[in-house]
C-alpha cells in the first residue's frame, strides 16, 4: 500500500520534532553534567594587615649628680650631694647657732646651710608692716618619709627653700601661711628633742637661677 504525499510529509515532520526533542534533551544534560563536574568556586582574597610595634622607650641614664660632692653629717648620720663648684664652710661643733654642720655658697652667692642641732630659733616679724609668707611649692622627699622640700615667697618672689617635717603633720598647703614668718625645720634624727636645719638663709643673698640646683640638693638628703 503506497503512502500518499501528505502521509510522507507528516512522517517527516514527526521525525524532525523527535530529533529536536532529543537534541534539546542532550544539550540540557550536557550543561547539567558540566556544572556537576566543575562546581563554581568562590575566590576569597585575604586582607593583609600591617602591624608596627613601637620600640620600648629608652630610660634616661643621665645622672643629675654626676661630678657632685657629698657631705655626710657625723652627728645626724645624714648625707646629701652638692655641686663641686660650690664653696663649703664647715660649722664647728661649738657653734652657738646649731652645732655641727656646713654652709654651701653657690657661684651666684646663694647660701644654703645644714645644721644637725638647733635648740633655739628666735626672731620675729611685725604683722602690721611685714608681708605674709606664701608657700609656692611643696615636694615630698623621696628618701625620708614625712619630710618635705618647701619653697616660699614674699611679694610674689620666691626667696627661700628648705626641708621641713611640718611639725609631724601632712604636707603643708600651698598658699598664705597666715604669718610674716615661717621656719623650715625638722626633728633631728639623732635626737628628737632638738631640731635640724637644711635651708637657704634669710639673711644672705638668694639667686633665683640657683633654685633648680637647690631643689636637687635637698632632694638628695638621706639617712645612712
Amino acid at each position: 500500500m503506497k503512502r500518499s504525499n501528505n502521509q510522507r510529509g507528516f512522517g517527516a515532520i514527526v521525525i524532525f520534532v523527535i530529533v529536536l526533542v532529543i537534541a534539546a534533551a542532550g544539550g540540557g544534560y550536557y550543561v547539567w553534567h558540566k556544572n556537576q563536574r566543575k562546581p563554581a568556586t568562590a575566590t576569597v582574597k585575604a586582607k593583609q594587615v600591617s602591624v608596627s610595634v613601637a620600640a620600648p622607650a629608652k630610660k634616661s641614664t643621665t645622672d643629675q649628680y654626676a661630678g657632685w660632692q657629698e657631705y655626710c653629717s657625723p652627728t645626724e648620720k645624714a648625707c646629701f650631694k652638692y655641686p663641686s663648684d660650690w664653696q663649703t664652710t664647715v660649722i664647728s661643733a661649738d657653734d652657738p647657732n646649731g652645732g655641727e654642720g656646713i654652709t654651701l655658697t653657690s657661684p651666684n652667692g646663694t647660701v644654703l646651710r645644714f645644721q644637725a642641732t638647733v635648740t633655739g630659733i628666735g626672731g620675729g616679724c611685725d604683722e602690721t608692716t611685714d608681708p605674709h609668707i606664701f608657700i609656692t611649692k611643696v615636694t615630698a622627699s623621696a628618701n625620708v618619709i614625712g619630710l618635705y622640700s618647701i619653697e616660699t615667697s614674699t611679694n610674689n618672689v620666691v626667696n627661700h627653700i628648705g626641708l621641713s617635717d611640718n611639725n609631724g603633720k601632712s604636707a603643708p598647703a600651698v598658699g598664705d601661711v597666715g604669718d610674716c614668718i615661717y621656719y623650715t625645720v625638722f626633728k633631728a634624727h639623732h635626737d628628737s628633742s632638738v631640731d635640724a636645719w637644711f635651708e637657704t638663709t634669710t639673711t644672705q643673698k638668694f639667686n633665683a637661677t640657683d633654685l633648680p640646683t637647690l631643689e636637687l640638693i635637698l632632694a638628695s638628703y638621706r639617712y645612712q
Side-chain angles (χ1 to χ4, degrees):
M1 179 178 180
K2 295 183 179 178
R3 294 183 181 178
S4 65
N5 291 333
N6 288 338
Q7 289 177 328
R8 286 197 294 269
F10 178 78
I13 292 172
V14 171
I15 292 172
F16 179 73
V17 170
I18 292 172
V19 170
L20 287 179
V21 171
I22 293 173
Y29 174 80
Y30 174 79
V31 173
W32 174 83
H33 185 65
K34 183 178 180 181
N35 289 338
Q36 289 295 106
R37 290 171 60 188
K38 296 182 179 180
T41 57
T43 302
V44 179
K45 293 184 179 180
K47 184 178 180 181
Q48 294 182 347
V49 180
S50 178
V51 179
S52 74
V53 180
K58 294 183 179 179
K59 293 183 179 180
S60 174
T61 57
T62 303
D63 183 1
Q64 299 180 91
Y65 299 101
W68 284 32
Q69 304 294 319
E70 185 175 60
Y71 175 80
C72 291
S73 165
T75 303
E76 185 68 345
K77 299 296 186 293
C79 298
F80 56 85
K81 297 180 179 181
Y82 62 92
S84 58
D85 61 347
W86 284 42
Q87 181 182 349
T88 61
T89 302
V90 176
I91 301 172
S92 63
D94 59 353
D95 190 308
N97 293 319
E100 174 264 320
I102 190 174
T103 61
L104 308 171
T105 305
S106 78
N108 297 317
T110 303
V111 178
L112 178 68
R113 65 181 172 187
F114 167 78
Q115 291 174 278
T117 305
V118 179
T119 56
I121 299 177
C125 62
D126 187 347
E127 283 284 348
T128 61
T129 58
D130 296 332
H132 275 199
I133 304 297
F134 282 79
I135 295 177
T136 58
K137 185 177 180 180
V138 177
T139 306
S141 170
N143 303 315
V144 183
I145 297 176
L147 203 57
Y148 308 94
S149 174
I150 301 174
E151 299 173 24
T152 62
S153 68
T154 53
N155 298 320
N156 297 318
V157 177
V158 176
N159 53 15
H160 180 78
I161 183 173
L163 289 182
S164 172
D165 59 4
N166 198 33
N167 293 320
K169 302 175 183 177
S170 58
V174 171
D176 190 351
V177 302
D179 202 344
C180 54
I181 192 169
Y182 183 82
Y183 294 111
T184 47
V185 296
F186 53 98
K187 291 298 179 183
H189 189 58
H190 72 280
D191 184 354
S192 60
S193 66
V194 297
D195 291 321
W197 232 337
F198 196 20
E199 62 170 9
T200 54
T201 67
T202 56
T203 57
Q204 301 291 331
K205 178 182 177 181
F206 182 95
N207 193 309
T209 60
D210 288 325
L211 189 55
T213 303
L214 291 166
E215 291 175 343
L216 283 175
I217 295 173
L218 268 61
S220 71
Y221 188 83
R222 63 180 178 81
Y223 293 121
Q224 294 175 309

